[in-house]
Amino acid sequence: MLASEIRRRFLDYFARQQHIIRRSASLVPADDPTLLFVNAGMVPFKKVFLGMDEAPDGKRRATTAQKCVRAGGKHNDLEQVGHTARHHTFFEMLGNFSFGDYFKRDAIQFAWELVTSPAELAIDPSLLRVTVHHSDDEAFALWQEIAGLPAERIYRLGDKDNFWQMADTGPCGPCTEIYVDLAKVATDFRFPVGATGEWTDLSRAQFSHDAFVEGAEAGRFLEIWNLVFMQFDRQADGTLVPLPKPSVDTGAGLERIAAVKQGVTNNFHTDAFAPLIRTVEETVGFSYWGRQSDEPRTEVEVVGGSSPARIVPNAVDPASFRVLADHARAVAFLLADGVFPSNDGRGYVLRRILRRAVRHAYLLGRREPTLVAVVQTVIDSMGDAYPELRTRAEHLVKTTRVEEQAFLATIEGGLARFDQLAPQRSTQGSTRVRGTISGEDVFRLYDTFGFPIDLTELMAKERGYTVDIAGFEAALGEQRTRSKDERKSRKHTVEADTLGDLAAWERAEGDAESRFVGYDAIEIETQVAALRRLDGNRVAILLRESPFYAESGGQVSDSGEIVGRGWRVDVDGVRKVEGRSAALGRLTGAFHFGAATARVPTARRKDTERNHTATHLLHSALRTVLGDAVHQAGSLVHPDRLRFDFTQHGPVKPEQLAEVEGIVNREVWRAQPVRWSEMPYSEARVKGAMALFGEKYGDVVRVVDVAGVSMELCGGTHVRNTSEIGLFVIVNETGVASGVRRIEALTGPGAFAMLKERERTLHRVGEALKSPVDAIERRVQLLLEERRALEKQLDEARRGGGDELAGLIAAAAPLGANGARLIIGTVTAPDVKSLQAMGDALREQMGSGVGLLATHLPDGKGAMLAVVSDDLRLRGIRADAIVRDVAALAGGRGGGKPHMAQAGVPDAARMADAMAEAPRMVQAMVSAS
């Protein structure tokens, strides 16, 4: 069965089980700063599982084939790739998800049916084994009940293997895993040399716990599917609190299932990788299958003089074929999802993967781009399942080729330098002392020859050397400090990519220089310097002087208008192009170069300025109230509102929020002047200006100073005096990530409008309570007191019900010959909820038996409730059947669950006859069971 067929069958199966098929999310996590890449199928639903978001479209069942990458960060499989059968940088995770819908029974039922059914994956059930958490008796029993697995093929493992949690606190739970016996599936399975013990016996059908664990670690038993049952909320003290709506998150490795279905032990030998390895063979001119040994090649034989047509390895290393096949998939998908090779963040991880692939092609004798051909094969073989590969095919191929060429230009010199730093062991067996490569030399390999640090580490390890990581990082830090201007220029170039090079724009006479004047003016007369026509009648315009602010530092772009003679542009966005602010919008009329008026709406800009200055005051107030550990973690400055994210463990107390709000407003009403100026970065820091963590600054920075209150590096627009803010109101405080809180607030007219709406709401409440506004608080207190009194009466009624139950239990009649009893009678309960509470108490106290209670409700109607003990329920006696049949005699209707059910009766007077008939009916049910 091909990998594409497995993917299709998986998704189609769950679609038939009322799951919504969701497209794979991008490899770049949406709004999750804790991850470099999506590395598991549940990541796109993380906020749903955390309770921060609702299920997508309100659908509580979903299934996906999710693209995943594990390379860099906490989850890093890069070094193992190529040297093991199942480590990959890119892989596909098949999964089904329940967001508070079904739980263990259905999850296990779905998994077993999909894996074993002849119409689905059709894996022989006799080859399967499962693990459960040692405490999960429910899952243990369900596997026996649903799959018919004997207890000897279900293994209880500990937290390390079978308990999953997202973080130190929050949703977590036990998991159960499905394993396949590879020794009886894969034709190429071989036991490790010298392996002995129970787990190596092919004639055995059952294995002990220890033998199974040993076999799994050695590769005989392969995990193909993990079912996680998120049923607890782990508290800070470690306590596990049951979740009100448990969820299910499962992950099945497509490549692993393909290996099982295709009868091989190695994922790289499946059809998912076969065309890629074939492309490597065709490109390098050697057979992957010619020598299946994982011993690395150490030399190359030069053929044809100093400039050979090709270099022939004298011992082909199959690991290099696997690295190229694996890395081509990761490169193709990362590029397709918008990651671009660079020297930091996600882009650096991509560049590391690319250059590791180039090195392995080099080991196979290649001195020209190799990975690019394999990337093309990825596009051809996986483009149907993932159309984004075809859509961006040209970009994928071009970028891969350029990156390979860049590294090939330096790799030979880098390897020569590396040979000097870490000479190979003599083939004569000398015992040269190994050593450490200095941080400075490692940095030179990185900076001059483009060797990523982990590649140098790997090469050093192969030769018995270590690397001075601390020294490398120090040298890298010094280089970054020296090149801030250069990096800023590169950043601007990347930001302008979507609008192209200015050389391609229509331009007026003269240069295309532009100056931002929006700090001092929002309406100006100016000249159009350049224009680029976009889709439809949309254009981008570059002005000689521009009042339009381009989104930066959390502040959104300005909007407005540009009016020329016979034309106008309604500006709805601003973007940077080679460091200049270009206004984007819809053109009406016939454009021509010349004079134009550029205008930002006064109200919009003023509101934006209020909110931006308020974020600075808020930051200062938070540090005053909560301490200097508070740092900005993000912000949004919009004309309508402001949002401020900051570092803080745990919610801010209401009284602390009130204090923060008060401090900000006092600074507003003190009418403090707000000043800004440009100065060298070092001078600004000496003066105490606050720089934001993670932000990159040039040598000259803009400092915004609210005297004695706040001084920050900031390029945004601000009020001239804090009094212009008018009013500051916090409307919400929430958590957005571990250790990060968010405050949302309003200022000026927005804050005033919100307070007026609250005032109107208060008046409406007063009208509903028939109370003046100034007396509402007292009125609510009186209502709460009345409620507490009623609750006390209810509790007393329920306690009184305990005496009634004791009497009924004492008068219970025998029910059958096994010691069971029938407890029946009419009780006093003010409502159905109280009757249910009495039913719970009765079921706990009665032992083996059936209970049937009736009560007269205040409105003249009646209610009945039946309960059945677990032993009788297992014999087929059902509470829902009992209450339904008895209530029908009184003209009522009901239902519920096998252990407890209830019914309503329109006329309580008719219940007496029905209750009199009930003992005979229940006895008949018991006799028939």
Side-chain angles (χ1 to χ4, degrees):
M1 187 181 293
L2 299 180
S4 58
E5 177 69 6
I6 294 169
R7 185 194 302 115
R8 185 189 64 78
R9 290 194 180 196
F10 187 98
L11 296 176
D12 287 352
Y13 172 84
F14 281 104
R16 293 194 299 274
Q17 313 306 322
Q18 290 76 53
H19 290 62
I20 301 298
I21 299 177
R22 303 285 180 190
R23 283 190 58 190
S24 172
S26 168
L27 285 167
V28 179
D31 196 25
D32 189 347
T34 66
L35 289 177
L36 276 174
F37 304 111
V38 169
N39 55 27
M42 60 74 61
V43 170
F45 305 113
K46 183 175 177 180
K47 288 191 175 181
V48 179
F49 286 124
L50 287 171
M52 298 168 66
D53 283 346
E54 294 294 325
D57 303 325
K59 306 297 185 182
R60 295 168 62 192
R61 297 185 178 195
T63 184
T64 63
Q66 175 61 46
K67 303 175 290 189
C68 299
V69 163
R70 290 184 181 172
K74 179 180 178 181
H75 301 284
N76 185 3
D77 291 345
L78 195 56
E79 286 189 15
Q80 289 75 36
V81 172
H83 300 289
T84 70
R86 283 177 282 280
H87 276 99
H88 305 294
T89 50
F90 172 89
F91 59 98
E92 293 181 75
M93 184 77 81
L94 306 175
N96 59 289
F97 308 91
S98 164
F99 309 116
D101 190 344
Y102 61 83
F103 199 44
K104 293 183 184 180
R105 172 175 292 277
D106 286 340
I108 290 173
Q109 174 69 48
F110 292 154
W112 185 255
E113 182 177 40
L114 178 56
V115 168
T116 62
S117 170
E120 305 300 342
L121 298 183
I123 298 176
D124 185 350
S126 69
L127 304 178
L128 301 177
R129 284 162 173 76
V130 300
T131 63
V132 299
H133 190 256
H134 64 81
S135 68
D136 197 349
D137 295 334
E138 181 183 4
F140 191 95
L142 285 171
W143 278 114
Q144 296 177 79
E145 175 190 343
I146 293 170
L149 285 174
E152 295 76 18
R153 282 166 59 192
I154 307 172
Y155 302 91
R156 295 178 183 266
L157 301 181
D159 287 357
K160 179 177 179 293
D161 298 296
N162 280 74
F163 195 92
W164 184 93
Q165 59 189 63
M166 193 178 299
D168 293 337
T169 60
C172 60
C175 59
T176 182
E177 297 175 328
I178 302 175
Y179 284 75
V180 176
D181 187 346
L182 269 186
K184 296 184 178 180
V185 171
T187 57
D188 62 347
F189 182 84
R190 300 290 183 273
F191 287 106
V193 176
T196 59
E198 177 185 332
W199 68 273
T200 64
D201 186 352
L202 286 174
S203 66
R204 295 182 67 92
Q206 312 295 348
F207 295 87
S208 67
H209 177 279
D210 290 346
F212 169 80
V213 172
E214 291 176 17
E217 291 176 349
R220 173 170 181 175
F221 304 111
L222 174 68
E223 177 215 332
I224 61 169
W225 202 346
N226 183 12
L227 285 63
V228 178
F229 305 127
M230 281 189 271
Q231 64 186 95
F232 300 113
D233 184 6
R234 187 184 292 277
Q235 306 299 299
D237 63 358
T239 304
L240 296 178
V241 177
L243 289 170
K245 291 183 178 180
S247 298
V248 174
D249 153 34
T250 84
L254 173 61
E255 294 82 359
R256 292 188 175 207
I257 297 176
V260 170
K261 290 301 297 177
Q262 294 169 30
V264 295
T265 59
N266 195 317
N267 291 358
F268 289 95
H269 298 168
T270 67
D271 75 293
F273 289 91
L276 310 181
I277 289 179
R278 192 158 51 246
T279 299
V280 178
E281 289 178 317
E282 294 168 356
T283 305
V284 303
F286 308 109
S287 172
Y288 169 73
W289 300 99
R291 180 176 181 270
Q292 274 300 298
S293 167
D294 284 331
E295 297 175 8
R297 175 188 63 77
T298 58
E299 301 175 10
V300 295
E301 176 186 354
V302 179
V303 179
S306 60
S307 300
R310 66 187 181 116
I311 299 177
V312 183
N314 60 12
V316 175
D317 182 6
S320 293
F321 287 78
R322 296 192 286 267
V323 168
L324 284 161
D326 172 274
H327 287 13
R329 302 204 317 167
V331 167
F333 278 95
L334 286 171
L335 286 171
D337 278 349
V339 180
F340 196 84
S342 66
N343 286 333
D344 53 42
R346 298 181 178 97
Y348 182 56
V349 175
L350 172 56
R351 179 161 284 166
R352 286 166 50 200
I353 295 171
L354 276 158
R355 294 191 171 182
R356 187 169 187 260
V358 172
R359 187 222 174 195
H360 278 273
Y362 194 95
L363 293 176
L364 292 174
R366 291 285 291 176
R367 299 297 181 266
E368 55 188 348
T370 303
L371 189 67
V372 63
V374 196
V375 166
Q376 182 61 60
T377 303
V378 173
I379 297 169
D380 296 339
S381 61
M382 302 187 74
D384 289 341
Y386 298 98
E388 62 267 32
L389 293 173
R390 296 196 195 280
T391 301
R392 306 202 69 191
E394 183 178 355
H395 168 67
L396 271 58
V397 171
K398 180 180 178 180
T399 304
T400 303
R401 186 185 303 278
V402 169
E403 281 290 309
E404 285 196 271
Q405 290 171 335
F407 192 38
L408 283 168
T410 62
I411 189 172
E412 190 164 358
L415 289 174
R417 175 59 180 157
F418 182 80
D419 285 339
Q420 296 171 359
L421 298 171
Q424 294 212 37
R425 280 191 182 87
S426 168
T427 55
Q428 305 301 315
S430 68
T431 57
R432 172 182 168 80
V433 177
R434 305 295 97 185
T436 297
I437 306 176
S438 73
E440 184 177 351
D441 285 327
V442 174
F443 176 75
R444 189 171 294 112
L445 287 172
Y446 164 86
D447 193 46
T448 304
F449 302 104
F451 278 40
I453 176 62
D454 58 323
L455 177 58
T456 303
E457 278 188 283
L458 178 62
M459 293 165 56
K461 183 178 179 181
E462 290 172 352
R463 297 188 180 185
Y465 286 78
T466 59
V467 169
D468 177 12
I469 299 295
F472 165 78
E473 291 176 345
L476 179 62
E478 292 173 5
Q479 189 261 4
R480 285 176 171 169
T481 300
R482 290 191 303 268
S483 62
K484 284 176 182 175
D485 284 343
E486 180 184 352
R487 289 187 291 107
K488 183 177 181 181
S489 174
R490 285 200 301 267
K491 177 183 176 185
H492 286 163
T493 300
V494 171
E495 290 173 339
D497 280 349
T498 56
L499 295 176
D501 195 308
L502 274 176
W505 287 44
E506 300 174 35
R507 301 172 65 167
E509 293 183 4
D511 58 35
E513 288 302 313
S514 177
R515 183 168 60 93
F516 176 65
V517 296
Y519 293 134
D520 303 310
I522 58 174
E523 180 174 345
I524 60 167
E525 300 295 325
T526 185
Q527 298 283 323
V528 178
L531 175 135
R532 174 145 192 165
R533 298 182 188 275
L534 307 175
D535 294 338
N537 59 351
R538 290 185 60 77
V539 296
I541 287 186
L542 196 66
L543 302 173
R544 299 287 185 198
E545 297 85 25
S546 174
F548 298 108
Y549 182 84
E551 181 172 346
S552 179
Q555 179 175 328
V556 300
S557 296
D558 280 329
S559 62
E561 63 180 5
I562 303 172
V563 181
R565 192 164 69 179
W567 61 269
R568 67 177 284 141
V569 173
D570 293 313
V571 176
D572 54 25
V574 188
R575 299 290 182 273
K576 288 284 189 179
V577 181
E578 297 183 13
R580 304 163 178 87
S581 295
L584 281 66
R586 189 173 303 278
L587 170 67
T588 55
F591 172 81
H592 56 82
F593 286 99
T597 300
R599 184 181 299 112
V600 177
T602 301
R604 177 182 173 87
R605 171 61 76 79
K606 288 293 184 182
D607 287 340
T608 303
E609 291 175 348
R610 290 185 183 96
N611 286 333
H612 204 153
T613 305
T615 63
H616 287 216
L617 298 180
L618 173 60
H619 192 184
S620 174
L622 284 167
R623 289 170 64 85
T624 298
V625 175
L626 302 178
D628 290 342
V630 169
H631 292 284
Q632 181 173 338
S635 67
L636 172 68
V637 177
H638 190 277
D640 298 335
R641 65 194 183 281
L642 69 88
R643 187 178 72 207
F644 189 81
D645 297 346
F646 57 99
T647 55
Q648 163 75 3
H649 293 288
V652 182
K653 297 177 182 178
E655 58 271 24
Q656 292 175 318
L657 277 179
E659 186 178 357
V660 167
E661 189 178 62
I663 290 173
V664 173
N665 277 306
R666 282 196 294 275
E667 297 303 333
V668 169
W669 301 329
R670 285 178 61 194
Q672 297 277 49
V674 181
R675 300 183 176 91
W676 48 84
S677 59
E678 292 187 348
M679 64 184 70
Y681 176 81
S682 56
E683 180 183 342
R685 294 294 283 152
V686 168
K687 287 186 173 183
M690 185 177 297
L692 302 185
F693 179 78
E695 284 290 317
K696 299 174 182 177
Y697 298 99
D699 290 336
V700 177
V701 294
R702 184 168 181 264
V703 177
V704 176
D705 183 16
V706 183
V709 180
S710 167
M711 183 185 293
E712 294 191 20
L713 306 186
C714 179
T717 62
H718 290 267
V719 298
R720 275 67 177 167
N721 190 289
T722 60
S723 62
E724 297 175 38
I725 297 172
L727 182 65
F728 173 85
V729 177
I730 294 175
V731 296
N732 198 23
E733 191 273 341
T734 58
V736 293
S738 178
V740 179
R741 307 295 297 179
R742 170 174 292 170
I743 283 178
E744 295 172 279
L746 302 173
T747 65
F752 178 75
M754 186 272 290
L755 291 179
K756 291 300 292 183
E757 179 56 33
R758 285 186 178 178
E759 182 180 334
R760 287 190 288 271
T761 300
L762 194 60
H763 278 288
R764 290 193 292 270
V765 171
E767 291 173 359
L769 294 176
K770 295 180 173 54
S771 172
V773 170
D774 57 3
I776 285 178
E777 182 177 5
R778 177 57 183 160
R779 177 63 175 147
V780 171
Q781 290 175 344
L782 291 173
L783 289 174
L784 291 174
E785 290 173 3
E786 291 177 11
R787 177 178 174 175
R788 284 191 289 270
L790 289 172
E791 288 175 343
K792 182 178 180 181
Q793 293 175 17
L794 179 59
D795 288 341
E796 290 173 351
R798 288 173 176 168
R799 285 194 295 271
D803 296 336
E804 289 183 286
L805 289 181
L808 292 176
I809 293 172
L815 188 62
N818 295 319
R821 297 185 295 173
L822 172 62
I823 297 96
I824 185 169
T826 300
V827 295
T828 302
D831 51 35
V832 173
K833 185 176 181 181
S834 299
L835 183 64
Q836 291 171 342
M838 295 177 73
D840 286 332
L842 176 59
R843 195 168 184 272
E844 291 178 3
Q845 300 172 31
M846 71 182 184
S848 175
V850 173
L852 181 61
L853 304 178
T855 190
H856 291 252
L857 299 175
D859 58 2
K861 297 179 181 180
M864 292 183 178
L865 183 134
V867 293
V868 174
S869 60
D870 288 338
D871 60 323
L872 294 186
R873 179 176 54 81
L874 293 174
R875 287 172 52 190
I877 309 300
R878 298 175 61 95
D880 52 348
I882 292 172
V883 80
R884 183 180 59 244
D885 292 350
V886 175
L889 297 177
R893 298 173 60 184
K897 297 182 178 180
H899 73 285
M900 178 182 286
Q902 67 185 52
V905 177
D907 184 0
R910 297 183 60 185
M911 289 195 301
D913 292 341
M915 293 291 283
E917 189 66 18
R920 181 189 63 77
M921 298 171 67
V922 175
Q923 287 283 2
M925 291 182 184
V926 173
S927 299
S929 66

